[in-house]
Amino acid sequence: MADIKAWIGSFRLRTLPLALACTGMGSFLAAGFRLFNLKVFILTSATAIFLQVLSNLANDYGDTVHGTDNAERIGPQRALQSGVISLKAMRNAIIICALLALVSGCWLLYEATKEMSSSVFVIFLLIGLACIAAAIRYTVGKKPYGYAGLGDLAVFIFFGLVGVDGTFYLHVHGLPMNLLLPTISLGLLSAGVLNINNMRDIDNDAASGKRTLVVRMGLDGAKKYHRFLILTAIISLLLFTYLHYSSPWNWSFVAAFPSLIIQVEKIAREESAGMDKYLKQLSLTTLLMVLLFGIAAVYYPYV
């Protein structure tokens, strides 16, 4: 039972709502244009979950190997760090999760592109392989990009451009330019979750040589950066809805905004040691916003 709890803890279930929010946004946008595919929705959700868990396991492994996860770290104790899970077992779990993501992704591409050119399948397969590589290379390897401060950019690309736009394309087989607005919104909110994580770990990361954006900007700068991320995400989604307005219900997602604003104001007054609780809050609030946005898109489509 202890081993099961250790693995569940390593999966970091509280991060999964964010992965589902990104692919969910792409699917709901497709429904808003009356081009929703149930199989694509199910398979993109499954693939996103496997990729997120893969990222979480690889993050534990990389930070343990590099010595970043240690006794000084703030936040939940990692099972790998404490020795409950061995490095070999974690490597095997990473391989299994990567294979599951690959199988799920290939099945998704088969269902979504079987009536399209084979080149589309190949392009998305390469994107999928890049997602797997990015999930692992964030903290694993001799030069992990997360240690060079590139994590925020990677999150924006893979949770925004790939998660939202890629999902939408697999439903619709096209991509309008103004879809960049909700893409920006989800990409920035996802970067906000990483920023909270890095604000929590700022002291330990700095001592361990992990040069995240937060370490480079300092805690005060990171708080201002966080405000920019959340407010820009809000403005982007408001602008998209204004451009595609069809019913007052299209604005229902605004109900999630007070929680986002309250979180921003609390984080502005918080010390690094108290940041951990906002990780789950922002992930769940983002998912709630997407669900409210999506329900309105289904019942009051844009076309």
Side-chain angles (χ1 to χ4, degrees), residues 14-15 17-23 25 52 151-161 164 180-199 225-238 253-254 256-264 267 278-293:
R14 63 180 179 171
T15 65
L18 190 64
L20 292 174
C22 297
T23 56
M25 175 61 86
Q52 184 62 58
D152 296 64
L153 177 61
V155 164
F156 181 83
I157 291 172
F158 290 104
F159 281 78
L161 294 173
V164 179
L180 282 174
L181 290 168
T183 296
I184 289 170
S185 182
L186 266 292
L188 294 180
L189 288 170
S190 301
V193 173
L194 178 62
N195 189 53
I196 293 172
N197 179 85
N198 291 341
M199 283 193 286
Y225 169 61
H226 190 76
R227 185 185 298 273
F228 165 79
L229 292 174
I230 303 305
L231 294 182
T232 306
I234 288 173
I235 292 169
S236 297
L237 203 55
L238 288 173
F253 66 89
V254 174
F257 286 178
S259 178
L260 291 174
I261 299 300
I262 289 171
Q263 289 171 37
V264 167
I267 286 171
Y278 299 109
L279 278 167
K280 183 177 180 180
Q281 289 180 20
L282 182 53
S283 293
L284 289 175
T285 304
T286 301
L287 181 59
L288 172 63
M289 183 190 75
V290 170
L291 289 174
L292 293 173
F293 178 91

Side-chain angles (χ1 to χ4, degrees), residues 22-66:
C22 297
T23 56
M25 175 61 86
S27 295
F28 284 133
L29 285 165
F33 289 96
R34 301 182 187 272
L35 291 166
F36 178 83
N37 184 319
L38 181 59
K39 288 183 180 179
V40 170
F41 172 72
I42 293 171
L43 289 169
T44 51
S45 299
T47 304
I49 289 173
F50 288 135
L51 285 170
Q52 184 62 58
V53 173
L54 170 63
S55 177
N56 294 339
L57 296 178
N59 193 359
D60 278 11
Y61 182 87
D63 279 345
T64 298
V65 170
H66 289 289

Side-chain angles (χ1 to χ4, degrees), residues 2-298:
D3 287 346
I4 294 174
K5 289 182 178 179
W7 280 111
I8 291 175
S10 295
F11 293 161
R12 303 189 202 176
L13 300 183
R14 63 180 179 171
T15 65
L16 299 187
L18 190 64
L20 292 174
C22 297
T23 56
M25 175 61 86
S27 295
F28 284 133
L29 285 165
F33 289 96
R34 301 182 187 272
L35 291 166
F36 178 83
N37 184 319
L38 181 59
K39 288 183 180 179
V40 170
F41 172 72
I42 293 171
L43 289 169
T44 51
S45 299
T47 304
I49 289 173
F50 288 135
L51 285 170
Q52 184 62 58
V53 173
L54 170 63
S55 177
N56 294 339
L57 296 178
N59 193 359
D60 278 11
Y61 182 87
D63 279 345
T64 298
V65 170
H66 289 289
T68 307
D69 277 354
N70 53 50
E72 304 302 319
R73 178 183 168 275
I74 298 171
Q77 187 180 52
R78 305 302 184 200
L80 192 61
Q81 167 197 347
S82 63
V84 177
I85 296 175
S86 68
L87 286 173
K88 181 179 179 180
M90 186 61 78
R91 283 196 300 269
N92 291 337
I94 290 170
I95 293 170
I96 291 170
C97 205
L99 290 174
L100 288 172
L102 181 61
V103 170
S104 177
C106 287
W107 187 4
L108 163 65
L109 296 183
Y110 169 75
E111 293 291 345
T113 67
K114 56 188 175 184
E115 297 177 359
M116 303 174 69
S117 167
S118 59
S119 62
V120 176
F121 181 96
V122 173
I123 290 170
F124 271 91
L125 178 60
L126 293 175
I127 292 173
L129 292 173
C131 290
I132 292 174
I136 296 172
R137 290 286 296 166
Y138 177 64
T139 60
V140 175
K142 293 182 178 179
K143 294 183 178 181
Y145 65 86
Y147 280 65
L150 298 175
D152 296 64
L153 177 61
V155 164
F156 181 83
I157 291 172
F158 290 104
F159 281 78
L161 294 173
V162 175
V164 179
D165 289 349
T167 298
F168 181 89
Y169 187 91
L170 293 175
H171 280 281
V172 177
H173 301 169
L175 195 64
M177 285 300 297
N178 59 17
L179 205 72
L180 282 174
L181 290 168
T183 296
I184 289 170
S185 182
L186 266 292
L188 294 180
L189 288 170
S190 301
V193 173
L194 178 62
N195 189 53
I196 293 172
N197 179 85
N198 291 341
M199 283 193 286
R200 180 197 67 193
D201 295 341
I202 181 173
D203 294 330
N204 192 54
D205 284 348
S208 303
K210 189 174 183 180
R211 302 289 294 172
T212 63
L213 276 185
V214 172
V215 171
R216 294 172 185 272
M217 292 187 293
L219 187 59
D220 289 339
K223 289 177 179 179
K224 294 175 182 178
Y225 169 61
H226 190 76
R227 185 185 298 273
F228 165 79
L229 292 174
I230 303 305
L231 294 182
T232 306
I234 288 173
I235 292 169
S236 297
L237 203 55
L238 288 173
L239 181 56
F240 176 84
T241 303
Y242 172 77
L243 294 173
H244 294 85
Y245 175 83
S246 64
S247 164
W249 288 103
N250 291 140
W251 300 105
S252 60
F253 66 89
V254 174
F257 286 178
S259 178
L260 291 174
I261 299 300
I262 289 171
Q263 289 171 37
V264 167
E265 295 307 315
K266 287 184 176 180
I267 286 171
R269 300 189 298 270
E270 190 68 77
E271 298 297 325
S272 60
M275 292 291 181
D276 188 68
K277 56 182 174 290
Y278 299 109
L279 278 167
K280 183 177 180 180
Q281 289 180 20
L282 182 53
S283 293
L284 289 175
T285 304
T286 301
L287 181 59
L288 172 63
M289 183 190 75
V290 170
L291 289 174
L292 293 173
F293 178 91
I295 291 170
V298 169

